[in-house]
Amino acid sequence: MSAPMIELAKVSKSFGANQVLRDVDLAVQRSEVVCLIGPSGSGKSTLLRCVNFLEPYDSGDLRIDGRLIGYEDVAEGTRRPMAARTLREMRREIGMVFQNFNLWPHMTALSNVAEPLRRVRKLASREAADRAMAMLTRVGLAAKADAYPSRLSGGQQQRVAIARALAMQPRLMLFDEPTSALDPELVGEVLEVMKSLAAEGMTMLVVTHEMGFAAHVASRIAFIDEGRIIADGPPRRVFHESPEPRVRQFLQTYQDRNSF
Amino acid sequence: MSLDQFWHYAPSLLSGFGVTILCWAVGSTLGLILGFAIALLRRLEIPPLNGLLRAFIELFRGTPFLVQLFLIYAGGPSIGLRLSATAAGILGLGLYASAYFAEIFRAGFAAVPAGQIEAAASVGMTPFHTMLRVTLPGALIAAVPAIVNMLIILTKETVVLSIITVPELMYQVQTMAAETFTAFDAIFAMAVFYWLLIEAVSRLGSQVETRVTAFLAHEARA
C-alpha cells in the first residue's frame, strides 16, 4: 500500500510557552477530503500551516507522500532544517488557499494565476497565460481575467486564489478557512468550486466552519481541541455519534447559532 | 522696479531657476537611490551595519539641513572633500533626502501584508522573485504618496542652498533685491517661480499617484 498523501505522527508545536499542537496523529489518503473542525484557538490553522511548513513544527514527523517536510534526518535521532530549495520544490506540489485570499493586488486575475507558472514552473509567458486562462475558466472567471483583485468580490477573489493554486497542478490542496472572510451570499460559489475539485479526486485538507460542506463533502472529519485530535471519522459518526462531550458541545453551540 | 530693470535681471533669474531645478532633480534622484539602498540593506538585518544605517538616518533627520550643508561645504575640505558650491549643495540635498526616503521605503516594505509573501512562499517562489514581483511593487505603491510629498518638500528646501552661494533662484533674487533695493518685487517674482515649480511637481505627483493606486481602490464591487 502506498504512503498516505499527508501523514502526521506525534507532531507538536509551541508558540513560546503556549503549546498549540500536542502529539497530533493524522493521515489523509489519496483523494480523501478531510475537514478539520474545532473551536477557535484549537490549533486547526496551525496544523494546516505545518503541512506545507509555512509554520515550522517542533517535533514529530510530517510526511507528504512519504517524504518528511521541513527537516532532513542527518543521523539517528538528529535532524536539521531542510534546504530552502528542497522545501520550495515540495511546496510546489502543495496548493494552499488562504482565508484572506492573499492575491497580489498589483496584478490582474490572470497575472496572479500566471505568475507562479512563469517564475516557478518556468513556462513561457504565452503558455503561462494560456494555462492561467484555462484555470480561470474552470472556476468560472474567464470574463474577469483582466480585472484587478480590488475590482472583484470576495468570492471571486477566492476563486482566483484557488485557480492560482490549481494551476501549479498540485498533488494536494490545503484550505485555511476559505469562506470565513466572505459575505454569506458569496460562500456558495467558493464551496461549489471546492466540491467539484473533491469530485475529481483531489486530495484536500480543509479547515472550515462550514458544517454543511463538511457533512456532505468530507470523507472524514477530524475534530481538534486544545491541540489534540479528539475525534476522527466519517462525518456521520463524528457529527452524530461522538461520545466526546467537547464535540457535542461545539456542535450544539453551532446549531443554536444557526437556528432562527 | 521698472520693467527695464526686470528685463535686465531676467536672464540671471532664469538661470537661477535652471540651477534650482537641476539641484532638485539630481539631489532628489540621489536621495531616492541612496534611501532605497539603505532601506534594502536594513532588511538584511546585519547587526553592526543596521546600527550604522540607523545612526546615519538619525543624524540627517535630527539636525537642521542648513547645518548639514555648512558641514559639507565648509567642513568637507578638512576631510579631503573639496566641492563646488553647487556640487556640495546637491550632495547635501541628496544625503538629507536619503534619510527621509529610507524611512519612507521602510514603511512601504512594512505595508506589504505578510499574507502576500506567504502566498508566494506557498507556490514555491524563490526569495528573489518574491522580492521582485511581490514585495517590491507593493512597497513602492504604498510609498508613492509619501515620496511625492517629500519631493515637494525638497523643492522648497533648495532655497537653503543659496546660503552656501549656490547660484540658484533664491540666490539670484537676493542679488537682484540687493542691487535694486526692491525687495518686494524680487521676492514676489521668486514666489511666482516656486509656485510654478511646486505646482508642476505636485500635479505630476498626483497623476502618478492616481495611476498606481487606481487598481488598489478598496471598494471591491460584487
Side-chain angles (χ1 to χ4, degrees), chain B residues 170 173-174 176-177 182-194:
Chain B
M170 179 73 182
V173 167
Q174 280 177 326
M176 179 171 94
T182 50
F184 179 78
D185 305 47
I187 304 278
F188 182 78
M190 182 180 74
V192 171
F193 269 116
Y194 277 109

Side-chain angles (χ1 to χ4, degrees), chain B residues 85-97:
Chain B
T86 306
I90 288 173
L91 179 65
L93 198 65
L95 290 175
Y96 169 77

Side-chain angles (χ1 to χ4, degrees), chain B residues 119-135:
Chain B
S122 77
V123 291
M125 234 188 251
T126 60
F128 175 74
H129 279 137
T130 306
M131 169 55 83
L132 197 68
R133 303 293 299 167
V134 178
T135 319

Side-chain angles (χ1 to χ4, degrees), chain A residues 154-198:
Chain A
Q156 291 168 335
Q157 288 187 57
Q158 193 61 298
R159 281 146 68 200
V160 174
I162 294 173
R164 176 173 67 180
L166 279 182
M168 293 290 288
Q169 297 175 322
R171 284 190 278 176
L172 65 148
M173 290 278 288
L174 308 174
F175 293 84
D176 190 3
E177 302 200 28
T179 57
S180 296
L182 299 178
D183 289 339
E185 74 268 27
L186 303 177
V187 168
E189 60 189 79
V190 172
L191 293 183
E192 278 310 313
V193 172
M194 291 171 65
K195 268 185 211 170
S196 77
L197 261 182

Side-chain angles (χ1 to χ4, degrees), chain B residues 9-186:
Chain B
Y9 283 100
S12 64
L13 287 180
L14 270 179
S15 109
F17 191 53
V19 173
T20 291
I21 290 179
L22 176 83
C23 290
W24 170 75
V26 180
S28 300
T29 309
L30 186 66
L32 277 167
I33 294 171
L34 204 56
F36 185 64
I38 293 171
L40 274 185
L41 286 174
R42 284 189 74 183
R43 285 181 70 77
L44 298 178
E45 292 183 1
I46 306 165
L49 179 66
N50 232 355
L52 277 176
L53 295 174
R54 274 190 52 188
F56 174 86
I57 292 170
E58 295 305 319
L59 183 72
F60 279 91
R61 291 202 312 168
T63 55
F65 179 43
L66 182 58
V67 175
Q68 296 166 18
L69 268 185
F70 269 129
L71 282 176
I72 292 169
Y73 186 53
S78 65
I79 55 160
L81 193 68
R82 231 169 272 280
L83 295 172
S84 72
T86 306
I90 288 173
L91 179 65
L93 198 65
L95 290 175
Y96 169 77
S98 73
Y100 286 90
F101 282 129
E103 287 294 281
I104 288 170
F105 286 123
R106 189 185 58 80
F109 280 120
V112 179
Q116 287 176 29
I117 294 159
E118 280 192 342
S122 77
V123 291
M125 234 188 251
T126 60
F128 175 74
H129 279 137
T130 306
M131 169 55 83
L132 197 68
R133 303 293 299 167
V134 178
T135 319
L136 208 51
L140 290 180
I141 289 165
V144 163
I147 290 173
V148 170
N149 194 38
M150 190 62 207
L151 288 175
I152 290 172
I153 291 172
L154 289 174
T155 320
K156 290 187 272 194
E157 292 285 29
T158 56
V159 174
V160 179
L161 302 191
S162 66
I163 297 189
I164 58 164
T165 70
V166 176
E168 47 74 77
L169 186 58
M170 179 73 182
Y171 182 83
Q172 303 292 3
V173 167
Q174 280 177 326
T175 309
M176 179 171 94
E179 289 172 8
T180 61
F181 306 105
T182 50
F184 179 78
D185 305 47

Side-chain angles (χ1 to χ4, degrees), chain A residues 217-253:
Chain A
V217 183
S219 351
R220 268 168 43 227
I221 306 280
F223 188 97
I224 183 162
D225 184 44
E226 293 179 351
R228 283 195 184 86
I229 292 181
I230 58 172
D232 180 353
R236 183 181 300 274
R237 248 201 3 243
V238 173
F239 281 144
H240 303 295
E241 296 158 19
S242 175
E244 278 288 337
R246 283 294 291 133
V247 177
R248 301 172 76 106
Q249 189 195 335
F250 176 81
L251 293 171
Q252 188 60 50
T253 317

